[in-house]
Amino acid sequence: MEAFLKEFGDYYGYPDGPKNIQEIRDTEFKRLDKGVVYLDHAGSTLYSELQMEYIFKDFTSNVFGNPHSQSDISSATSDLIADARHQVLEYFNASPEDYSCLFTSGATAALKLVGETFPWTQDSNFLYTMENHNSVLGIREYALAQGASACAVDIEEAANQPGQLTNSGPSIKVKHRAVQMRNTSKLQKEESRGNAYNLFAFPSECNFSGLRFNLDLVKLMKENTETVLQGSPFSKSKRWMVLIDAAKGCATLPPDLSEYPADFVVLSFYKLFGYPTGLGALLVRNDAAKLLKKTYFSGGTVAASIADIDFVKRRERVEEFFEDGSASFLSIAAIRHGFKLLKSLTPSAIWMHTTSLSIYVKKKLQALRHGNGAAVCVLYGSENLELSSHKSGPTVTFNLKRPDGSWFGYLEVEKLASLSGIQLRTGCFCNPGACAKYLELSHSELRSNVEAGHICWDDNDVINGKPTGAVRVSFGYMSTFEDAKKFIDFIISSFASPPKKTGNGTVVSGRFPQLPSEDLESKESFPSHYLKSITVYPIKSCAGFSVIRWPLCRTGLLHDREWMVQGLTGEILTQKKVPEMSLIKTFIDLEEGLLSVESSRCEDKLHIRIKSDSYNPRNDEFDSHANMYALLLIMCCLTSAACNKFDFGCRLENRNEETRINRWFTNAIGRQCKLLRYSSSTSKDCLNRNKSPGLCRDLESNINFANEAQFLLISEESVADLNRRLEAKDEDYKRAHEKLNPHRFRPNLVISGGEPYGEDKWKTVKIGDNHFTSLGGCNRCQMINISNEAGLVKKSNEPLTTLASYRRVKGKILFGTLLRYEIDEKRQCWIGVGEEVNPDIE
């Protein structure tokens, strides 16, 4: 802290403000005292508790009415909306004589309004910087549909001082990429170019890299187009209008529209001060507004209309002409309290405070090295790390590398950060141009990634050895040095490899580092392996039941994960979404052919007849025409874009029975749902991590609703080693928690004997007379942090955090081994507790 203040003390913490940063955190963000480090302010900043108190007091002390009514209350609401418009204009130093403020549902809606009303012709051009949000890119659909051209451009800035337009030459050049046209037969005539309106769009700050664009672009494009576009097919085009996407940048350095008179500026208020969401604005120059062509009219935008003939007279004021329907007047009433907060701190002080933190983090990441000297971090858009340069906002975007130069997946970073209480953002942040540019992804690579199934928000963070996105941390006005320090400490402890040690230090044995030998229990030799327990989980994510002996079938243990609970919108419900599912107990009576389910929330047990004529392991397809669910999985080729979903076909002849079962589960988990049963014995697909259909590692056998494989095997010795690590790590944890039971990890098979993690090296294993193939380690998620103690569901960061410290391999946290059963078609197969376990080690 002392070193940080020595460099940034004049900028950090609002030294000249009404409150310093510590007072702000202590009085207005007490909810962050619970260990949360919030570093996604580029996505949405946080609202102040004091701000919300003012809003609540305002709402509970006053009455607001629809501004389209004529009552006193409605008139007062209209005045409040007018005052809010002036506040927005004032924030951007925009004169009401030159600009109007239109309220929208957000920055995206404001951009859409510009796109659909802009006076496009076949001679128009839409230029936009590569670093633009998808919501800006979407405008090109309107342009191309009207026969206009569209083109992405790169901004090249010379070493001239900011604000210097043209002396010996222009300081800014616009370099165009491929021109896009749908009307390929059109030929622009030079004489027609002067009549067409053209649009140039850029962000005040890139939401991917934090790079701030030179606002001189506004005047250059409007006044010196031929020079700045020299060498491009657009240099002769006139009548350029400029759009600034200020959604990201206006929280710290809002564009001064008196100096940079852009035609359109868009913003969202939740990016400024956290609340309200669902409200944004379009600032439009009044002369530009007159050129926009609006087709639709609605309540509030017409002065008069006649229902049965083609007659309408529209209102003339800009706001009334464009704002369809009743304004979101309660949300608009709330923004004055946000502006009051920003005004007390001032945007310039917020910029200095937040940027000091981002530069500190960038410098620390840039200097970070592995034990072998290799750089840990690759930063994007961070060439200039001087706070006075105004070149970047409070955003740090990066990827991390291993000592051998391969990439850590950004999802691994996000997963481990979450375990440490750090909330950040990963991916491309809806900015595909900046993402491709900084990650150096070619068009062929981008297309290949899509053809391989990669889409936004999926799990494919590294494809063909290259990252498909990045990690982003961003700071807000309430962020602190402690937040930044905790983040840096997390990166160092989780991703920076120290020099290898020997002797009493860390020893790498096999694929995973182990505890020093003195920390392990003293054993002259490890006993032979045997099967300690068998657990069947009939319903995915519900509690299972233990058995002494159980039949095997093509899908693993008979009836294991043969049912699942589905929400009304089609999502698969698991303990990660509904932890209370762990309280639902299950049992199957093979003799009676009954599945019994019970919950403390339901008075009666639920009995479902599974109607199995026998439990012959070679006959695992059951009659679906009695009082039960039959689930038909319609699988399709995952490489086909048209087949990216699978359909659940569910039919029940007895509707009363269906209603009874659905009602029971709805009561048990506290939300509307239904129970589905798997009935296919031919599919080789399984559910991936986001619970959509996907191919798992077990491609040679059938599975039911398991995530990855038929069986999960856990070793008692491995669990014991994990318990020792937990106890050694945290005495408070030792006092507050009982030792972990192997069943915390929801295994089908628990073995005893052998050495900790010896199962990592297994190739195949024989249990009794049955043969299994190892499919590798099980990738663990936060579900193992959910515990059921005395009928109460509790969540913590353990044991996943500790496992992450020593069981991470290529982005996965492995614990337990996945197995595939090699079915013997010649005999009925059972597996029993006490049977000897004989592994074939690699």
Side-chain angles (χ1 to χ4, degrees):
M1 183 66 168
E2 184 178 349
F4 172 80
L5 290 178
K6 185 176 181 180
E7 183 174 2
F8 299 106
D10 292 338
Y11 306 102
Y12 173 79
Y14 312 106
D16 299 322
K19 292 182 181 179
N20 63 40
I21 184 59
Q22 194 58 52
E23 291 171 329
I24 291 172
R25 285 292 287 258
D26 290 344
T27 59
E28 301 184 36
F29 293 91
K30 295 185 286 292
R31 62 191 188 278
L32 295 180
D33 294 341
K34 300 175 182 178
V36 175
V37 176
Y38 185 83
L39 298 177
D40 187 24
H41 295 272
S44 172
T45 197
L46 301 176
Y47 54 79
S48 155
E49 289 150 26
L50 185 61
Q51 171 191 355
M52 299 307 293
E53 287 178 17
Y54 288 145
I55 292 171
F56 183 73
K57 183 179 180 181
D58 199 1
F59 285 3
T60 54
S61 303
N62 297 292
V63 179
F64 301 90
N66 190 319
H68 291 168
S69 299
Q70 302 300 311
S71 67
D72 292 342
I73 288 174
S74 296
S75 296
T77 303
S78 295
D79 292 340
L80 184 148
I81 294 174
D83 288 341
R85 294 190 204 277
H86 286 295
Q87 279 187 298
V88 177
L89 293 176
E90 182 182 14
Y91 186 72
F92 289 89
N93 199 17
S95 168
E97 294 181 1
D98 299 322
Y99 284 90
S100 294
C101 171
L102 312 180
F103 286 116
T104 65
S105 63
T108 295
L111 292 165
K112 182 173 181 287
L113 179 60
V114 173
E116 67 187 7
T117 61
F118 194 83
W120 305 109
T121 70
Q122 66 174 2
D123 296 322
S124 296
N125 301 293
F126 174 47
L127 298 190
Y128 53 92
T129 56
M130 275 291 286
E131 297 92 335
N132 256 311
H133 196 278
N134 267 324
S135 297
V136 175
L137 268 58
I139 293 176
R140 75 182 178 197
E141 294 300 304
Y142 292 108
L144 295 173
Q146 295 298 320
S149 301
C151 183
V153 300
D154 296 294
I155 306 300
E156 297 180 349
E157 188 170 352
N160 298 38
Q161 293 300 316
Q164 182 180 353
L165 296 180
T166 54
N167 285 334
S168 58
S171 62
I172 299 175
K173 286 282 190 180
V174 176
K175 184 178 179 181
H176 76 281
R177 299 200 177 209
V179 179
Q180 309 158 54
M181 282 186 288
R182 290 182 184 164
N183 181 11
T184 56
S185 63
K186 82 167 187 177
L187 292 174
Q188 280 189 332
K189 299 179 181 179
E190 285 201 20
E191 59 269 23
S192 68
R193 290 177 180 170
N195 298 322
Y197 286 96
N198 306 285
L199 182 64
F200 174 68
F202 71 98
S204 61
E205 182 183 318
C206 174
N207 77 314
F208 183 95
S209 65
L211 175 71
R212 297 192 64 85
F213 280 79
N214 193 327
L215 294 179
D216 286 339
L217 277 166
V218 176
K219 291 182 179 179
L220 283 170
M221 288 300 297
K222 293 172 75 69
E223 301 172 4
N224 201 16
T225 311
E226 190 167 349
T227 303
V228 79
L229 295 178
Q230 186 176 5
S232 79
F234 313 105
S235 60
K236 299 297 183 182
S237 299
K238 308 296 182 183
R239 291 189 171 186
W240 282 94
M241 305 177 80
V242 178
L243 182 155
I244 298 178
D245 177 6
K248 170 64 177 74
C250 68
T252 50
L253 286 178
D256 184 341
L257 296 184
S258 68
E259 184 175 357
Y260 305 104
D263 298 279
F264 311 101
V265 178
V266 304
L267 68 145
S268 288
F269 292 103
Y270 72 94
K271 303 250 184 177
L272 278 173
F273 31 70
Y275 184 89
T277 57
L279 183 69
L282 168 64
L283 276 63
V284 55
R285 284 190 63 87
N286 293 328
D287 53 358
K290 295 175 183 178
L291 302 174
L292 301 182
K293 299 179 179 180
K294 186 168 183 283
T295 301
Y296 178 75
F297 69 86
S298 65
T301 64
V302 293
S305 65
I306 299 177
D308 55 348
I309 63 172
D310 183 9
F311 175 84
V312 60
K313 180 176 174 58
R314 299 173 185 263
R315 294 186 181 273
E316 296 182 359
R317 286 186 61 240
V318 175
E319 299 92 338
E320 294 176 333
F321 186 87
F322 285 101
E323 289 181 356
D324 291 315
S326 297
S328 183
F329 53 89
L330 290 180
S331 293
I332 294 171
I335 67 173
R336 55 178 170 172
H337 300 292
F339 277 120
K340 179 181 179 182
L341 183 153
L342 295 185
K343 192 173 182 179
S344 69
L345 296 174
T346 74
S348 60
I350 292 173
W351 180 82
M352 289 188 291
H353 171 80
T354 55
T355 306
S356 68
L357 293 171
S358 64
I359 291 178
Y360 165 77
V361 168
K362 287 176 183 179
K363 288 183 175 181
K364 288 293 185 182
L365 291 177
Q366 197 174 59
L368 197 56
R369 293 292 184 271
H370 289 294
N372 64 358
V376 174
C377 182
V378 175
L379 291 168
Y380 302 117
S382 299
E383 291 78 12
N384 193 321
L385 297 184
E386 295 299 322
L387 191 144
S388 60
S389 70
H390 286 67
K391 290 291 185 181
S392 62
T395 298
V396 185
T397 306
F398 62 94
N399 272 311
L400 300 174
K401 281 190 168 184
R402 297 185 177 89
D404 63 2
S406 63
W407 298 96
F408 286 105
Y410 56 77
L411 289 177
E412 179 179 359
V413 182
E414 184 175 39
K415 183 177 183 178
L416 297 179
S418 180
L419 288 173
S420 297
I422 298 172
Q423 312 304 312
L424 44 75
R425 179 86 176 264
T426 63
C428 280
F429 327 121
C430 298
N431 196 324
C435 189
K437 184 175 180 177
Y438 286 108
L439 301 182
E440 299 181 348
L441 294 169
S442 66
H443 290 161
S444 61
E445 287 174 317
L446 293 170
R447 289 180 180 272
S448 175
N449 289 349
V450 173
E451 290 169 0
H454 174 51
I455 58 173
C456 297
W457 305 338
D458 68 8
D459 295 343
N460 297 310
D461 53 6
V462 177
I463 299 179
N464 296 325
K466 294 183 73 172
T468 61
V471 183
R472 184 185 74 188
V473 298
S474 48
F475 297 93
Y477 74 85
M478 76 299 297
S479 298
T480 64
F481 169 78
E482 288 75 16
D483 293 336
K485 180 66 165 56
K486 184 172 181 180
F487 170 73
I488 291 297
D489 291 345
F490 155 71
I491 293 294
I492 293 172
S493 63
S494 300
F495 298 99
S497 299
K500 292 185 178 180
K501 298 178 182 179
T502 57
N504 293 330
T506 301
V507 178
V508 177
S509 174
R511 285 180 284 176
F512 303 105
Q514 303 291 340
L515 280 175
S517 57
E518 63 267 21
D519 290 339
L520 295 174
E521 291 181 359
S522 176
K523 295 184 179 181
E524 293 184 3
S525 63
F526 292 100
S528 59
H529 305 86
Y530 71 94
L531 187 59
K532 183 71 174 290
S533 71
I534 302 169
T535 305
V536 183
Y537 303 90
I539 303 174
K540 182 179 179 66
S541 246
C542 294
F545 64 97
S546 297
V547 295
I548 300 300
R549 190 165 176 264
W550 198 257
L552 298 171
C553 64
R554 289 188 180 91
T555 59
L557 293 171
L558 186 62
H559 301 308
D560 186 58
R561 279 163 285 210
E562 195 167 303
W563 289 263
M564 73 168 188
V565 181
Q566 184 187 50
L568 288 186
T569 59
E571 76 278 17
I572 298 170
L573 301 184
T574 68
Q575 285 187 33
K576 283 193 286 187
K577 285 187 176 181
V578 190
E580 292 76 16
M581 291 181 70
S582 65
L583 303 177
I584 298 177
K585 300 177 182 178
T586 60
F587 180 75
I588 288 179
D589 187 327
L590 290 178
E591 295 283 342
E592 296 292 330
L594 281 178
L595 167 63
S596 299
V597 191
E598 63 178 309
S599 167
S600 59
R601 293 183 173 184
C602 302
E603 293 183 5
D604 300 321
K605 281 187 179 181
L606 177 67
H607 299 287
I608 303 173
R609 185 160 296 281
I610 59 179
K611 198 65 177 180
S612 174
D613 294 330
S614 70
Y615 37 82
N616 186 332
R618 291 169 291 178
N619 180 22
D620 59 331
E621 294 180 50
F622 300 96
D623 181 7
S624 63
H625 300 291
N627 295 335
M628 68 173 199
Y629 291 90
L631 177 64
L632 174 63
L633 298 183
I634 303 174
M635 297 295 181
C636 58
C637 178
L638 292 178
T639 59
S640 169
C643 299
N644 59 1
K645 297 180 180 178
F646 70 75
D647 189 6
F648 292 108
C650 183
R651 182 176 64 187
L652 189 66
E653 290 184 355
N654 190 328
R655 281 295 173 189
N656 291 333
E657 183 71 359
E658 178 181 2
T659 301
R660 180 182 71 89
I661 295 173
N662 287 348
R663 185 183 298 119
W664 192 95
F665 276 93
T666 295
N667 293 335
I669 68 172
R671 65 169 68 187
Q672 290 286 319
C673 61
K674 57 185 176 181
L675 185 70
L676 299 178
R677 184 181 185 184
Y678 185 97
S679 65
S680 170
S681 64
T682 58
S683 171
K684 296 180 181 179
D685 291 274
C686 65
L687 302 174
N688 66 18
R689 283 295 175 195
N690 59 9
K691 303 298 175 285
S692 62
L695 292 175
C696 61
R697 280 182 275 176
D698 191 354
L699 300 179
E700 300 181 14
S701 63
N702 304 307
I703 62 174
N704 291 332
F705 290 124
N707 280 352
E708 296 186 280
Q710 293 176 340
F711 292 87
L712 171 61
L713 179 146
I714 291 290
S715 157
E716 278 193 331
E717 277 62 36
S718 299
V719 175
D721 177 70
L722 173 58
N723 276 318
R724 285 191 289 271
R725 292 172 185 270
L726 287 167
E727 293 169 1
K729 175 182 178 182
D730 192 341
E731 284 296 324
D732 292 336
Y733 179 89
K734 180 179 179 180
R735 288 190 294 269
H737 299 82
E738 297 179 357
K739 285 189 175 183
L740 291 175
N741 185 292
H743 293 284
R744 174 76 164 267
F745 302 92
R746 295 179 62 81
N748 297 109
L749 308 175
V750 176
I751 62 165
S752 184
E755 62 180 356
Y757 315 108
E759 62 274 16
D760 293 337
K761 302 175 184 178
W762 293 1
K763 183 177 179 182
T764 61
V765 61
K766 182 181 178 183
I767 303 178
D769 295 326
N770 300 299
H771 295 268
F772 302 83
T773 298
S774 173
L775 302 175
C778 179
N779 185 21
R780 308 314 307 219
C781 66
Q782 295 199 29
M783 191 162 153
I784 64 174
N785 290 340
I786 300 172
S787 63
N788 180 354
E789 300 176 14
L792 296 176
V793 176
K794 295 184 178 180
K795 291 183 181 180
S796 69
N797 288 333
E798 296 291 2
L800 194 58
T801 299
T802 295
L803 285 173
S805 68
Y806 75 105
R807 294 288 298 177
R808 264 170 54 218
V809 177
K810 297 292 184 182
K812 298 179 178 180
I813 304 173
L814 303 180
F815 192 74
T817 297
L818 300 171
L819 299 178
R820 179 181 67 239
Y821 171 51
E822 305 298 341
I823 190 168
D824 187 345
E825 299 282 357
K826 298 179 181 179
R827 64 186 181 90
Q828 295 185 358
C829 301
W830 292 70
I831 190 170
V833 169
E835 291 181 336
E836 191 171 349
V837 176
N838 295 299
D840 178 13
I841 299 175
E842 292 179 352

